[in-house]
Amino acid sequence: EKGAIAEGIVGRQGIVTNARGELFLATERGLVRGAQTKGAWQFTAVAAPATQRDGPVVSVLVDEGGKVWFGCGTGLCLLDQNEVREVGREAGLPDEMWWAILSSVEGDLYVRGEHSLYRRAAKQKRFESLPKLPESTNTIPTAALDPDGRLLVPTDVGLVRESENGWQTINVEDGSNDVSAVLMDHEGSIWLGLMGSGLARWLGYGEWESWTEKEGLSRSQVWSVAKDPSGRLWVGTRFG
């Protein structure tokens, strides 16, 4: 639409809110902020740093302190006190589109792209690479933390979990290796979107529940999973 701030949301981590109720949206034209004024929503574009001005925003996260992190073009940007700057390069990140950003209770910050995964430990200034992670080229890269605070990462070879000995593969009951999305809900349940095999809930090692078209999904190709504040689970499939 002519004159519109943006046409749509980009990525799987494209809508977040802060403690003041403001919305932040990842769009093809950059970061957009939304706030209610006299009962109506007003949306404004957040100016990106000059080095990333032409790129889309592909992910956004509000951390515990209210700072807004977002994947801007091939960089990582930070909105803090209405000031935006690109912080990825100076913190040791390569030029890559960061499709997933997440933080732990301890304050660790994780970013994931198609080819790499990095962690910035709490109170540290630089990111460190987490090597030997299989690539994720079949779908948009995502990640989550399990109830123990360990990383869960969908990859082209299936779901892998961070362990002391490296990456541990978690086998889904039906043998599917095409994991497209992962979510930990507020109850500690792990939900997986499966390419062609529907939706699965990980109850514990060796214990699974699963849903496909037979249980009411519009399609068994699941692209994204989210839970709203009321506890309702929303599943995005190939056809809605």
Side-chain angles (χ1 to χ4, degrees), residues 167-228:
W167 298 105
Q168 172 191 11
T169 301
I170 306 298
N171 294 313
V172 183
E173 126 182 297
D174 69 353
S176 173
N177 285 330
D178 293 325
V179 179
S180 57
V182 59
L183 166 77
M184 186 183 77
D185 65 21
H186 294 297
E187 299 170 353
S189 295
I190 304 296
W191 297 84
L192 303 179
L194 307 174
M195 294 290 292
S197 300
L199 176 71
R201 182 169 65 163
W202 181 21
L203 303 176
Y205 286 103
E207 297 182 59
W208 295 89
E209 284 184 304
S210 60
W211 295 263
T212 65
E213 291 178 59
K214 294 179 180 179
E215 286 75 38
L217 291 179
S218 59
R219 285 293 186 274
S220 290
Q221 292 93 342
V222 173
W223 296 102
S224 59
V225 184
K227 224 175 188 184
D228 65 25

Short mmCIF file of all heavy atoms in Angstrom, two decimals, residues 167-228:
data_model
loop_
_atom_site.label_atom_id
_atom_site.label_comp_id
_atom_site.label_asym_id
_atom_site.label_seq_id
_atom_site.Cartn_x
_atom_site.Cartn_y
_atom_site.Cartn_z
N TRP A 167 26.54 -31.25 20.86
CA TRP A 167 25.14 -31.23 20.47
C TRP A 167 24.55 -32.63 20.50
O TRP A 167 25.05 -33.54 19.85
CB TRP A 167 24.97 -30.61 19.08
CG TRP A 167 25.43 -29.19 19.03
CD1 TRP A 167 26.57 -28.71 18.47
CD2 TRP A 167 24.76 -28.06 19.58
NE1 TRP A 167 26.66 -27.36 18.63
CE2 TRP A 167 25.56 -26.92 19.30
CE3 TRP A 167 23.56 -27.88 20.26
CZ2 TRP A 167 25.19 -25.63 19.69
CZ3 TRP A 167 23.19 -26.61 20.65
CH2 TRP A 167 24.01 -25.50 20.37
N GLN A 168 23.48 -32.79 21.24
CA GLN A 168 22.80 -34.07 21.39
C GLN A 168 21.53 -34.05 20.55
O GLN A 168 20.71 -33.15 20.65
CB GLN A 168 22.45 -34.31 22.86
CG GLN A 168 21.59 -35.52 23.12
CD GLN A 168 21.06 -35.55 24.55
OE1 GLN A 168 21.18 -34.55 25.27
NE2 GLN A 168 20.48 -36.66 24.94
N THR A 169 21.33 -35.07 19.70
CA THR A 169 20.14 -35.15 18.87
C THR A 169 18.98 -35.74 19.66
O THR A 169 19.12 -36.77 20.33
CB THR A 169 20.40 -36.03 17.63
OG1 THR A 169 21.48 -35.47 16.87
CG2 THR A 169 19.16 -36.09 16.74
N ILE A 170 17.83 -35.06 19.61
CA ILE A 170 16.61 -35.52 20.26
C ILE A 170 15.72 -36.17 19.20
O ILE A 170 15.30 -35.52 18.25
CB ILE A 170 15.85 -34.37 20.94
CG1 ILE A 170 16.78 -33.61 21.90
CG2 ILE A 170 14.61 -34.88 21.66
CD1 ILE A 170 17.31 -34.43 23.03
N ASN A 171 15.46 -37.45 19.34
CA ASN A 171 14.68 -38.17 18.34
C ASN A 171 13.19 -38.04 18.60
O ASN A 171 12.71 -38.32 19.70
CB ASN A 171 15.07 -39.65 18.33
CG ASN A 171 16.49 -39.86 17.87
OD1 ASN A 171 16.91 -39.30 16.86
ND2 ASN A 171 17.26 -40.67 18.60
N VAL A 172 12.44 -37.59 17.59
CA VAL A 172 10.99 -37.54 17.66
C VAL A 172 10.46 -38.94 17.44
O VAL A 172 11.01 -39.72 16.68
CB VAL A 172 10.42 -36.55 16.62
CG1 VAL A 172 8.92 -36.44 16.73
CG2 VAL A 172 11.07 -35.19 16.80
N GLU A 173 9.34 -39.22 18.08
CA GLU A 173 8.81 -40.58 18.08
C GLU A 173 8.56 -41.16 16.69
O GLU A 173 8.74 -42.34 16.45
CB GLU A 173 7.54 -40.59 18.94
CG GLU A 173 6.31 -41.10 18.38
CD GLU A 173 5.12 -41.01 19.34
OE1 GLU A 173 5.11 -41.62 20.40
OE2 GLU A 173 4.20 -40.30 18.96
N ASP A 174 8.14 -40.30 15.71
CA ASP A 174 7.86 -40.84 14.38
C ASP A 174 9.08 -40.86 13.48
O ASP A 174 8.98 -41.21 12.30
CB ASP A 174 6.73 -40.05 13.71
CG ASP A 174 7.15 -38.64 13.33
OD1 ASP A 174 8.26 -38.23 13.71
OD2 ASP A 174 6.38 -37.96 12.64
N GLY A 175 10.24 -40.48 14.05
CA GLY A 175 11.48 -40.52 13.28
C GLY A 175 11.71 -39.32 12.39
O GLY A 175 12.67 -39.28 11.63
N SER A 176 10.86 -38.30 12.47
CA SER A 176 11.00 -37.13 11.61
C SER A 176 12.22 -36.31 12.00
O SER A 176 12.44 -36.02 13.17
CB SER A 176 9.75 -36.25 11.70
OG SER A 176 9.94 -35.05 11.00
N ASN A 177 13.02 -35.94 11.01
CA ASN A 177 14.18 -35.08 11.24
C ASN A 177 13.92 -33.65 10.78
O ASN A 177 14.77 -32.79 10.96
CB ASN A 177 15.42 -35.63 10.51
CG ASN A 177 15.99 -36.85 11.21
OD1 ASN A 177 15.89 -36.98 12.42
ND2 ASN A 177 16.58 -37.74 10.45
N ASP A 178 12.76 -33.41 10.16
CA ASP A 178 12.47 -32.09 9.62
C ASP A 178 11.76 -31.24 10.66
O ASP A 178 10.54 -31.09 10.64
CB ASP A 178 11.62 -32.21 8.35
CG ASP A 178 12.39 -32.85 7.21
OD1 ASP A 178 13.60 -32.60 7.13
OD2 ASP A 178 11.79 -33.59 6.42
N VAL A 179 12.52 -30.67 11.60
CA VAL A 179 11.96 -29.82 12.65
C VAL A 179 12.05 -28.37 12.18
O VAL A 179 13.13 -27.87 11.90
CB VAL A 179 12.72 -30.01 13.98
CG1 VAL A 179 12.16 -29.10 15.05
CG2 VAL A 179 12.66 -31.46 14.43
N SER A 180 10.91 -27.70 12.08
CA SER A 180 10.87 -26.35 11.53
C SER A 180 10.71 -25.27 12.58
O SER A 180 10.99 -24.11 12.33
CB SER A 180 9.73 -26.23 10.52
OG SER A 180 8.49 -26.57 11.12
N ALA A 181 10.20 -25.62 13.78
CA ALA A 181 9.95 -24.62 14.81
C ALA A 181 10.03 -25.29 16.18
O ALA A 181 9.75 -26.48 16.32
CB ALA A 181 8.58 -23.98 14.62
N VAL A 182 10.41 -24.51 17.19
CA VAL A 182 10.47 -25.02 18.56
C VAL A 182 10.02 -23.93 19.51
O VAL A 182 10.33 -22.75 19.32
CB VAL A 182 11.90 -25.52 18.91
CG1 VAL A 182 12.93 -24.41 18.76
CG2 VAL A 182 11.93 -26.11 20.32
N LEU A 183 9.24 -24.31 20.53
CA LEU A 183 8.71 -23.36 21.51
C LEU A 183 8.66 -24.03 22.87
O LEU A 183 8.21 -25.16 23.00
CB LEU A 183 7.30 -22.92 21.11
CG LEU A 183 6.48 -22.19 22.20
CD1 LEU A 183 6.96 -20.74 22.31
CD2 LEU A 183 4.99 -22.23 21.88
N MET A 184 9.12 -23.33 23.93
CA MET A 184 8.88 -23.77 25.29
C MET A 184 7.81 -22.87 25.88
O MET A 184 7.96 -21.64 25.90
CB MET A 184 10.13 -23.71 26.16
CG MET A 184 9.89 -24.31 27.55
SD MET A 184 11.30 -24.21 28.68
CE MET A 184 11.21 -22.49 29.18
N ASP A 185 6.69 -23.46 26.34
CA ASP A 185 5.62 -22.64 26.90
C ASP A 185 5.85 -22.37 28.37
O ASP A 185 6.85 -22.81 28.97
CB ASP A 185 4.24 -23.27 26.63
CG ASP A 185 4.05 -24.61 27.34
OD1 ASP A 185 4.75 -24.89 28.34
OD2 ASP A 185 3.17 -25.38 26.91
N HIS A 186 4.92 -21.63 29.00
CA HIS A 186 5.09 -21.21 30.40
C HIS A 186 4.99 -22.38 31.37
O HIS A 186 5.37 -22.26 32.54
CB HIS A 186 4.05 -20.15 30.75
CG HIS A 186 4.23 -18.87 30.01
ND1 HIS A 186 5.35 -18.08 30.15
CD2 HIS A 186 3.45 -18.23 29.09
CE1 HIS A 186 5.25 -17.02 29.37
NE2 HIS A 186 4.10 -17.08 28.71
N GLU A 187 4.49 -23.51 30.91
CA GLU A 187 4.40 -24.70 31.75
C GLU A 187 5.61 -25.60 31.61
O GLU A 187 5.70 -26.64 32.25
CB GLU A 187 3.13 -25.48 31.39
CG GLU A 187 1.85 -24.68 31.62
CD GLU A 187 0.63 -25.37 31.04
OE1 GLU A 187 0.81 -26.40 30.35
OE2 GLU A 187 -0.49 -24.90 31.29
N GLY A 188 6.55 -25.21 30.73
CA GLY A 188 7.77 -26.00 30.54
C GLY A 188 7.66 -27.06 29.47
O GLY A 188 8.60 -27.82 29.26
N SER A 189 6.52 -27.14 28.77
CA SER A 189 6.37 -28.10 27.68
C SER A 189 7.12 -27.62 26.44
O SER A 189 7.13 -26.42 26.14
CB SER A 189 4.89 -28.31 27.32
OG SER A 189 4.19 -28.90 28.38
N ILE A 190 7.72 -28.55 25.71
CA ILE A 190 8.42 -28.24 24.48
C ILE A 190 7.54 -28.66 23.30
O ILE A 190 7.14 -29.81 23.19
CB ILE A 190 9.77 -28.98 24.40
CG1 ILE A 190 10.64 -28.67 25.62
CG2 ILE A 190 10.50 -28.63 23.11
CD1 ILE A 190 11.05 -27.23 25.75
N TRP A 191 7.24 -27.69 22.43
CA TRP A 191 6.42 -27.94 21.25
C TRP A 191 7.29 -27.85 20.01
O TRP A 191 8.10 -26.93 19.88
CB TRP A 191 5.29 -26.92 21.15
CG TRP A 191 4.32 -26.96 22.28
CD1 TRP A 191 4.44 -26.35 23.50
CD2 TRP A 191 3.07 -27.67 22.31
NE1 TRP A 191 3.35 -26.62 24.28
CE2 TRP A 191 2.49 -27.42 23.58
CE3 TRP A 191 2.38 -28.46 21.39
CZ2 TRP A 191 1.25 -27.95 23.95
CZ3 TRP A 191 1.15 -28.98 21.75
CH2 TRP A 191 0.60 -28.73 23.01
N LEU A 192 7.10 -28.80 19.08
CA LEU A 192 7.88 -28.82 17.85
C LEU A 192 6.96 -28.78 16.64
O LEU A 192 5.96 -29.50 16.59
CB LEU A 192 8.73 -30.10 17.76
CG LEU A 192 9.72 -30.38 18.89
CD1 LEU A 192 10.43 -31.69 18.62
CD2 LEU A 192 10.70 -29.25 19.05
N GLY A 193 7.31 -27.93 15.66
CA GLY A 193 6.66 -27.96 14.37
C GLY A 193 7.45 -28.87 13.46
O GLY A 193 8.68 -28.77 13.38
N LEU A 194 6.77 -29.78 12.78
CA LEU A 194 7.43 -30.78 11.94
C LEU A 194 7.01 -30.59 10.50
O LEU A 194 5.83 -30.42 10.20
CB LEU A 194 7.09 -32.20 12.41
CG LEU A 194 7.34 -32.49 13.89
CD1 LEU A 194 6.82 -33.87 14.26
CD2 LEU A 194 8.83 -32.39 14.21
N MET A 195 7.97 -30.66 9.59
CA MET A 195 7.70 -30.50 8.17
C MET A 195 7.09 -31.78 7.62
O MET A 195 7.77 -32.77 7.39
CB MET A 195 9.00 -30.17 7.43
CG MET A 195 9.59 -28.83 7.81
SD MET A 195 8.60 -27.46 7.22
CE MET A 195 8.85 -27.62 5.46
N GLY A 196 5.77 -31.77 7.42
CA GLY A 196 5.10 -32.93 6.86
C GLY A 196 4.61 -33.92 7.89
O GLY A 196 3.92 -34.89 7.55
N SER A 197 4.94 -33.70 9.19
CA SER A 197 4.52 -34.65 10.22
C SER A 197 3.69 -33.99 11.30
O SER A 197 3.40 -34.60 12.32
CB SER A 197 5.75 -35.32 10.85
OG SER A 197 6.49 -36.03 9.87
N GLY A 198 3.33 -32.71 11.13
CA GLY A 198 2.43 -32.06 12.06
C GLY A 198 3.11 -31.41 13.25
O GLY A 198 4.18 -30.80 13.14
N LEU A 199 2.48 -31.56 14.41
CA LEU A 199 2.90 -30.91 15.65
C LEU A 199 3.19 -31.97 16.70
O LEU A 199 2.47 -32.97 16.80
CB LEU A 199 1.78 -30.00 16.14
CG LEU A 199 1.96 -29.27 17.47
CD1 LEU A 199 3.01 -28.17 17.33
CD2 LEU A 199 0.63 -28.68 17.93
N ALA A 200 4.26 -31.77 17.47
CA ALA A 200 4.60 -32.73 18.53
C ALA A 200 4.88 -31.99 19.82
O ALA A 200 5.41 -30.87 19.81
CB ALA A 200 5.82 -33.57 18.13
N ARG A 201 4.53 -32.61 20.95
CA ARG A 201 4.86 -32.06 22.26
C ARG A 201 5.77 -33.05 22.96
O ARG A 201 5.45 -34.23 23.09
CB ARG A 201 3.62 -31.81 23.11
CG ARG A 201 3.97 -31.19 24.47
CD ARG A 201 2.77 -30.69 25.22
NE ARG A 201 1.85 -31.74 25.61
CZ ARG A 201 0.91 -31.60 26.54
NH1 ARG A 201 0.74 -30.44 27.14
NH2 ARG A 201 0.11 -32.59 26.84
N TRP A 202 6.91 -32.54 23.41
CA TRP A 202 7.90 -33.36 24.09
C TRP A 202 7.58 -33.36 25.58
O TRP A 202 7.70 -32.35 26.26
CB TRP A 202 9.29 -32.80 23.82
CG TRP A 202 10.42 -33.55 24.43
CD1 TRP A 202 10.43 -34.86 24.84
CD2 TRP A 202 11.74 -33.05 24.69
NE1 TRP A 202 11.65 -35.20 25.33
CE2 TRP A 202 12.47 -34.11 25.26
CE3 TRP A 202 12.35 -31.81 24.49
CZ2 TRP A 202 13.82 -33.96 25.63
CZ3 TRP A 202 13.68 -31.68 24.86
CH2 TRP A 202 14.40 -32.73 25.42
N LEU A 203 7.16 -34.51 26.10
CA LEU A 203 6.81 -34.63 27.51
C LEU A 203 8.01 -34.99 28.37
O LEU A 203 8.00 -34.81 29.58
CB LEU A 203 5.73 -35.71 27.68
CG LEU A 203 4.44 -35.50 26.88
CD1 LEU A 203 3.50 -36.68 27.06
CD2 LEU A 203 3.76 -34.20 27.29
N GLY A 204 9.04 -35.49 27.75
CA GLY A 204 10.25 -35.94 28.45
C GLY A 204 10.96 -36.90 27.53
O GLY A 204 10.49 -37.24 26.45
N TYR A 205 12.14 -37.34 27.94
CA TYR A 205 12.89 -38.24 27.07
C TYR A 205 12.08 -39.49 26.75
O TYR A 205 11.62 -40.19 27.64
CB TYR A 205 14.21 -38.63 27.74
CG TYR A 205 15.21 -37.50 27.73
CD1 TYR A 205 15.45 -36.76 28.88
CD2 TYR A 205 15.88 -37.15 26.57
CE1 TYR A 205 16.35 -35.70 28.88
CE2 TYR A 205 16.78 -36.10 26.56
CZ TYR A 205 17.02 -35.38 27.71
OH TYR A 205 17.90 -34.34 27.70
N GLY A 206 11.88 -39.73 25.43
CA GLY A 206 11.16 -40.91 25.00
C GLY A 206 9.65 -40.78 25.08
O GLY A 206 8.94 -41.73 24.77
N GLU A 207 9.12 -39.62 25.48
CA GLU A 207 7.67 -39.45 25.61
C GLU A 207 7.21 -38.29 24.74
O GLU A 207 7.68 -37.17 24.87
CB GLU A 207 7.30 -39.16 27.07
CG GLU A 207 7.63 -40.28 28.04
CD GLU A 207 7.17 -39.94 29.45
OE1 GLU A 207 5.96 -39.72 29.64
OE2 GLU A 207 8.03 -39.87 30.34
N TRP A 208 6.25 -38.59 23.82
CA TRP A 208 5.77 -37.58 22.88
C TRP A 208 4.26 -37.65 22.72
O TRP A 208 3.66 -38.71 22.88
CB TRP A 208 6.40 -37.82 21.49
CG TRP A 208 7.88 -37.63 21.46
CD1 TRP A 208 8.84 -38.57 21.70
CD2 TRP A 208 8.57 -36.42 21.19
NE1 TRP A 208 10.09 -38.02 21.58
CE2 TRP A 208 9.96 -36.70 21.26
CE3 TRP A 208 8.16 -35.12 20.87
CZ2 TRP A 208 10.92 -35.73 21.04
CZ3 TRP A 208 9.13 -34.16 20.64
CH2 TRP A 208 10.50 -34.47 20.73
N GLU A 209 3.67 -36.52 22.39
CA GLU A 209 2.31 -36.44 21.89
C GLU A 209 2.39 -35.77 20.52
O GLU A 209 3.23 -34.88 20.33
CB GLU A 209 1.40 -35.61 22.80
CG GLU A 209 0.96 -36.29 24.06
CD GLU A 209 -0.01 -35.41 24.84
OE1 GLU A 209 0.37 -34.27 25.14
OE2 GLU A 209 -1.13 -35.87 25.11
N SER A 210 1.54 -36.17 19.59
CA SER A 210 1.62 -35.56 18.26
C SER A 210 0.24 -35.35 17.67
O SER A 210 -0.73 -36.02 18.03
CB SER A 210 2.46 -36.45 17.32
OG SER A 210 1.89 -37.74 17.19
N TRP A 211 0.17 -34.37 16.73
CA TRP A 211 -1.06 -34.00 16.05
C TRP A 211 -0.77 -33.79 14.57
O TRP A 211 0.27 -33.22 14.21
CB TRP A 211 -1.65 -32.71 16.62
CG TRP A 211 -2.10 -32.81 18.04
CD1 TRP A 211 -3.36 -33.03 18.50
CD2 TRP A 211 -1.27 -32.68 19.22
NE1 TRP A 211 -3.37 -33.06 19.87
CE2 TRP A 211 -2.11 -32.84 20.35
CE3 TRP A 211 0.09 -32.46 19.43
CZ2 TRP A 211 -1.64 -32.78 21.64
CZ3 TRP A 211 0.56 -32.40 20.73
CH2 TRP A 211 -0.30 -32.55 21.82
N THR A 212 -1.65 -34.26 13.71
CA THR A 212 -1.53 -34.08 12.26
C THR A 212 -2.87 -33.59 11.71
O THR A 212 -3.73 -33.14 12.46
CB THR A 212 -1.13 -35.40 11.58
OG1 THR A 212 -2.20 -36.35 11.74
CG2 THR A 212 0.15 -35.97 12.19
N GLU A 213 -3.06 -33.70 10.40
CA GLU A 213 -4.33 -33.34 9.79
C GLU A 213 -5.49 -34.15 10.36
O GLU A 213 -6.62 -33.67 10.44
CB GLU A 213 -4.25 -33.54 8.27
CG GLU A 213 -3.33 -32.55 7.57
CD GLU A 213 -3.24 -32.82 6.09
OE1 GLU A 213 -4.30 -32.79 5.42
OE2 GLU A 213 -2.13 -33.05 5.59
N LYS A 214 -5.21 -35.36 10.78
CA LYS A 214 -6.26 -36.21 11.35
C LYS A 214 -6.84 -35.63 12.63
O LYS A 214 -7.99 -35.89 12.97
CB LYS A 214 -5.71 -37.62 11.63
CG LYS A 214 -5.30 -38.39 10.38
CD LYS A 214 -4.75 -39.74 10.76
CE LYS A 214 -4.33 -40.52 9.52
NZ LYS A 214 -3.76 -41.85 9.86
N GLU A 215 -6.02 -34.83 13.34
CA GLU A 215 -6.49 -34.21 14.59
C GLU A 215 -6.95 -32.77 14.37
O GLU A 215 -7.18 -32.04 15.34
CB GLU A 215 -5.40 -34.25 15.65
CG GLU A 215 -5.15 -35.62 16.26
CD GLU A 215 -4.39 -36.56 15.34
OE1 GLU A 215 -3.48 -36.11 14.63
OE2 GLU A 215 -4.73 -37.76 15.33
N GLY A 216 -7.05 -32.32 13.11
CA GLY A 216 -7.63 -31.02 12.85
C GLY A 216 -6.70 -29.95 12.30
O GLY A 216 -7.15 -28.84 12.01
N LEU A 217 -5.39 -30.24 12.14
CA LEU A 217 -4.51 -29.25 11.53
C LEU A 217 -4.91 -29.04 10.07
O LEU A 217 -5.31 -29.98 9.39
CB LEU A 217 -3.06 -29.71 11.61
CG LEU A 217 -2.40 -29.76 12.99
CD1 LEU A 217 -0.97 -30.26 12.87
CD2 LEU A 217 -2.43 -28.41 13.67
N SER A 218 -4.77 -27.81 9.58
CA SER A 218 -5.11 -27.54 8.18
C SER A 218 -4.16 -28.26 7.23
O SER A 218 -4.55 -28.67 6.15
CB SER A 218 -5.09 -26.03 7.91
OG SER A 218 -3.82 -25.48 8.19
N ARG A 219 -2.91 -28.40 7.62
CA ARG A 219 -1.92 -29.17 6.90
C ARG A 219 -0.91 -29.72 7.92
O ARG A 219 -0.77 -29.18 9.01
CB ARG A 219 -1.17 -28.34 5.85
CG ARG A 219 -1.97 -28.03 4.60
CD ARG A 219 -2.25 -29.30 3.78
NE ARG A 219 -2.90 -28.99 2.52
CZ ARG A 219 -4.19 -28.85 2.34
NH1 ARG A 219 -5.01 -28.95 3.38
NH2 ARG A 219 -4.69 -28.58 1.14
N SER A 220 -0.20 -30.78 7.55
CA SER A 220 0.79 -31.35 8.46
C SER A 220 2.14 -30.65 8.37
O SER A 220 3.04 -30.95 9.15
CB SER A 220 0.96 -32.86 8.18
OG SER A 220 -0.21 -33.56 8.57
N GLN A 221 2.30 -29.72 7.39
CA GLN A 221 3.53 -28.94 7.31
C GLN A 221 3.41 -27.75 8.27
O GLN A 221 2.74 -26.77 7.95
CB GLN A 221 3.78 -28.43 5.88
CG GLN A 221 4.12 -29.55 4.91
CD GLN A 221 2.89 -30.08 4.19
OE1 GLN A 221 1.78 -29.86 4.63
NE2 GLN A 221 3.10 -30.77 3.09
N VAL A 222 4.03 -27.85 9.44
CA VAL A 222 3.94 -26.81 10.47
C VAL A 222 5.16 -25.90 10.38
O VAL A 222 6.29 -26.37 10.46
CB VAL A 222 3.83 -27.44 11.88
CG1 VAL A 222 3.91 -26.36 12.95
CG2 VAL A 222 2.52 -28.21 12.00
N TRP A 223 4.92 -24.57 10.24
CA TRP A 223 5.99 -23.60 10.08
C TRP A 223 6.31 -22.85 11.38
O TRP A 223 7.45 -22.45 11.60
CB TRP A 223 5.61 -22.56 9.02
CG TRP A 223 5.45 -23.13 7.64
CD1 TRP A 223 4.26 -23.41 7.01
CD2 TRP A 223 6.48 -23.49 6.72
NE1 TRP A 223 4.50 -23.91 5.76
CE2 TRP A 223 5.85 -23.97 5.55
CE3 TRP A 223 7.86 -23.45 6.77
CZ2 TRP A 223 6.56 -24.41 4.45
CZ3 TRP A 223 8.58 -23.88 5.66
CH2 TRP A 223 7.93 -24.35 4.52
N SER A 224 5.31 -22.65 12.23
CA SER A 224 5.56 -21.86 13.44
C SER A 224 4.56 -22.25 14.52
O SER A 224 3.48 -22.75 14.24
CB SER A 224 5.46 -20.35 13.15
OG SER A 224 4.18 -20.03 12.65
N VAL A 225 4.97 -22.00 15.80
CA VAL A 225 4.16 -22.35 16.96
C VAL A 225 4.27 -21.21 17.97
O VAL A 225 5.36 -20.69 18.22
CB VAL A 225 4.64 -23.66 17.62
CG1 VAL A 225 3.71 -24.05 18.77
CG2 VAL A 225 4.73 -24.79 16.60
N ALA A 226 3.13 -20.80 18.56
CA ALA A 226 3.15 -19.75 19.59
C ALA A 226 2.01 -20.00 20.57
O ALA A 226 1.01 -20.64 20.23
CB ALA A 226 3.02 -18.37 18.96
N LYS A 227 2.16 -19.49 21.79
CA LYS A 227 1.12 -19.60 22.80
C LYS A 227 0.77 -18.20 23.30
O LYS A 227 1.65 -17.39 23.59
CB LYS A 227 1.60 -20.47 23.97
CG LYS A 227 0.55 -21.47 24.45
CD LYS A 227 1.09 -22.40 25.51
CE LYS A 227 0.04 -23.50 25.80
NZ LYS A 227 0.48 -24.39 26.90
N ASP A 228 -0.55 -17.91 23.41
CA ASP A 228 -0.96 -16.58 23.87
C ASP A 228 -1.11 -16.58 25.39
O ASP A 228 -1.00 -17.62 26.04
CB ASP A 228 -2.24 -16.13 23.15
CG ASP A 228 -3.46 -17.00 23.48
OD1 ASP A 228 -3.48 -17.63 24.55
OD2 ASP A 228 -4.39 -17.03 22.66
#
